[in-house]
Amino acid sequence: MFAADHCSVQIVWRHLAPGELNLATSSGPPLSLHLEEGTHSEPSAGATLIDGLPPGSPIEIRVEGSALGGERRLTTATLPQPPGEILTRVATISDLHLGARAFGRRKTIIEDPEPDVAHPIRCSTAAIRAAATWGASEIVAKGDLTNNGHLDQWRSYAELVEASPVPVMSLPGNHDRTWKRGSAGLSPEDAAQLFGLQIASPLLVLDRPGVRLVLVDSTSGPHNRGSLVASEDDVVQAVAETEAGSVALVLMHHQLHQHPVHEGWPVGVHRGPTVAHLDRLASTGTPTLVSGGHTHRHRRWTHRGVVVTQVGSTKDYPGVWAGYTVSEGGISQVVRRVAEPDCIRWTDHTRRAVWGAWRWISPGTVRTRCFLHTW
Ligand SMILES: [Fe+2]
Ligand SMILES: [Fe+2]
C-alpha cells in the first residue's frame, strides 16, 4: 500500500506475472485487473486505486489471481475524515527536470531504446492528469521544472502548463537557474515573461477557500543550497495575515533541514535559519504546513505545531504527485505514485540508483507521505 486518504488507498506491485489480479474489500465491488508482461529493463510494476472506502477505518484487501499465483491479505487503514466541510483541493508536482535523459549520480540509468517522449514529460503529464482527476482545482509545480533552464526545456514546461486541464502555478528550483553561459537559457523570470507563466519571484500569494497558498522562491542563484533570506519577512507576513480559520500552505523548492547534520546531498536550508523561520511562523498562530522538494525524498516532521514535509519527484522512484484536501478544521496530504504504465515502469527502474539504496532512501513511510493535520 503506497497511499491512503480518507476514502481510498493506492496499491502498488512489482514482479508479478502476466495475468489476472483481483482485489476485494468488504466495502465495495471487487476490482479485476489484467497485468501485461514487463521487460527486462522495465519490470512489471503497476498501481491501482481502491476507492469508496470508509474514512478512518482499518481496511483488509484480499488479493488473488494468476498474476499473484496465490492469495494474500493486505491490511491497511484510511485517513480520518477531515473535520467540517471540504473547501479546497490543490495538488503539487515537483522536480520535473524536463530535458533530463538519465538518472543517478553517474547518469547511467537511461531509457533504452530512447522513446519518442522522454520520461520527464511523460511523468509530469500523467501526474497533472491524475491530480486533476483526483479533484485538484489547481496545481503548484515546486521547482526544478527544467533540468538546466534551457530554452527548449522552458518551452516544454510551457506546453505542459498549456495542456493542463487545471491552472498550474510555479516556483523556481536550483536547476532552473543553472543554464550555462553561452547556451540558449532563460532565467525563471524571463521564462515567465516569454511564455506567460506564473512563477513566484520571490513570492506568489493566492487565497482559496480555507487556505492561503504561499509560493516561495528559495533558490540562491545557481547554487544547490536553499535560502530564505530574500523572502523570509514576506513569508511570515503572508502567513500572519492568513484569514482566521484558514491554513497557510507554504510551498518552496528546498527542504528545511530537521537536523544539524545533513541527510546527504542535496543541501536545503540549514537547521539554524530553518528553526528561526519556523519559530516565526509558529508565533503567527496560523495553522501552517510547509512543503519542499529538491531531495526527491519523502519526510515529515513538526516544529512548534508547524508541519514540514518533503515530497519526491514526478520522474524518479517512487515518481509522485501530492494532493492537499483543505477542510474547515484540517488539511491532509496524500502522495500517490504516477500510475501510468509507461511512467511507473520507468520510475520503478530507477530504484537501483545510489548502488540500489534509492529504493530505501526516497519513499519514507506511508505516514510520512499521507496524513491529516487538524487544528
Ligand atoms: Fe530536483
Ligand atoms: Fe533541486
Side-chain angles (χ1 to χ4, degrees), residues 119-353:
H119 65 267
I121 296 178
R122 298 200 311 274
C123 293
S124 45
T125 303
I128 288 172
R129 207 162 36 222
T133 302
W134 170 78
S137 55
E138 55 202 319
I139 293 171
V140 177
K142 289 164 53 189
D144 286 359
L145 313 169
T146 66
N147 205 37
N148 313 102
H150 287 179
L151 179 58
D152 59 332
Q153 297 169 3
W154 281 116
R155 187 172 288 117
S156 294
Y157 181 68
E159 288 169 359
L160 200 70
V161 171
E162 176 71 26
S164 171
V166 294
V168 179
M169 264 69 69
S170 329
L171 54 92
N174 52 307
H175 274 257
D176 301 316
R177 296 197 185 278
T178 55
W179 55 279
K180 292 189 175 57
R181 216 172 271 280
S183 67
L186 288 175
S187 70
E189 290 74 16
D190 288 343
Q193 199 163 27
L194 182 62
F195 293 110
L197 302 169
Q198 277 195 287
I199 303 183
S201 177
L203 225 64
L204 196 57
V205 179
L206 306 159
D207 286 319
R208 303 292 181 256
V211 60
R212 166 166 276 196
L213 303 172
V214 184
L215 282 59
V216 184
D217 177 3
S218 60
T219 58
S220 53
H223 306 293
N224 186 268
R225 70 176 182 276
S227 171
L228 298 175
V229 170
S231 57
E232 173 161 20
D233 290 347
D234 292 336
V235 173
V236 173
Q237 187 180 350
V239 169
E241 293 175 353
T242 298
E243 191 182 348
S246 289
V247 61
L249 180 54
V250 180
L251 302 169
M252 62 182 72
H253 179 65
H254 289 84
Q255 83 276 26
L256 302 181
H257 283 278
Q258 181 180 6
H259 305 291
V261 178
H262 301 167
E263 193 201 318
W265 191 261
V267 182
V269 178
H270 294 298
R271 168 78 180 168
T274 285
V275 168
H277 186 57
L278 294 178
D279 281 341
R280 292 183 69 190
L281 293 183
S283 297
T284 65
T286 302
T288 304
L289 194 162
V290 182
S291 186
H294 189 47
T295 60
H296 300 210
R297 302 170 196 151
H298 301 83
R299 302 289 183 265
R300 171 161 72 107
W301 56 290
T302 303
H303 179 81
R304 289 183 54 195
V306 178
V307 181
V308 182
T309 69
Q310 293 170 40
V311 178
S313 166
T314 49
K315 67 149 193 78
D316 48 73
Y317 185 75
V320 300
W321 56 274
Y324 296 88
T325 302
V326 178
S327 75
E328 289 172 318
I331 183 169
S332 66
Q333 174 183 290
V334 56
V335 175
R336 284 192 194 161
R337 290 190 72 177
V338 178
E340 285 290 318
D342 66 349
C343 298
I344 199 166
R345 288 184 176 187
W346 158 258
T347 56
D348 234 58
H349 180 55
T350 63
R351 295 163 81 234
R352 67 191 59 199

Side-chain angles (χ1 to χ4, degrees), residues 15-97:
H15 299 313
L16 295 186
E20 304 306 315
L21 188 68
N22 304 308
L23 302 101
T25 70
S26 57
S27 311
L31 198 62
S32 292
L33 307 168
H34 181 78
L35 306 195
E36 305 284 342
E37 189 158 17
T39 64
H40 175 67
S41 63
E42 294 192 355
S44 56
T48 194
L49 197 68
I50 301 179
D51 214 342
L53 299 174
S57 302
I59 305 292
E60 185 177 85
I61 305 164
R62 191 165 60 83
V63 190
E64 52 86 23
S66 57
L68 189 63
E71 181 184 305
R72 277 187 64 182
R73 285 174 191 271
L74 311 175
T75 52
T76 181
T78 49
L79 294 182
Q81 176 78 28
E85 192 186 336
I86 291 177
L87 301 172
T88 295
R89 280 196 174 95
V90 295
T92 64
I93 53 177
S94 186
D95 295 275
L96 287 58
H97 289 270

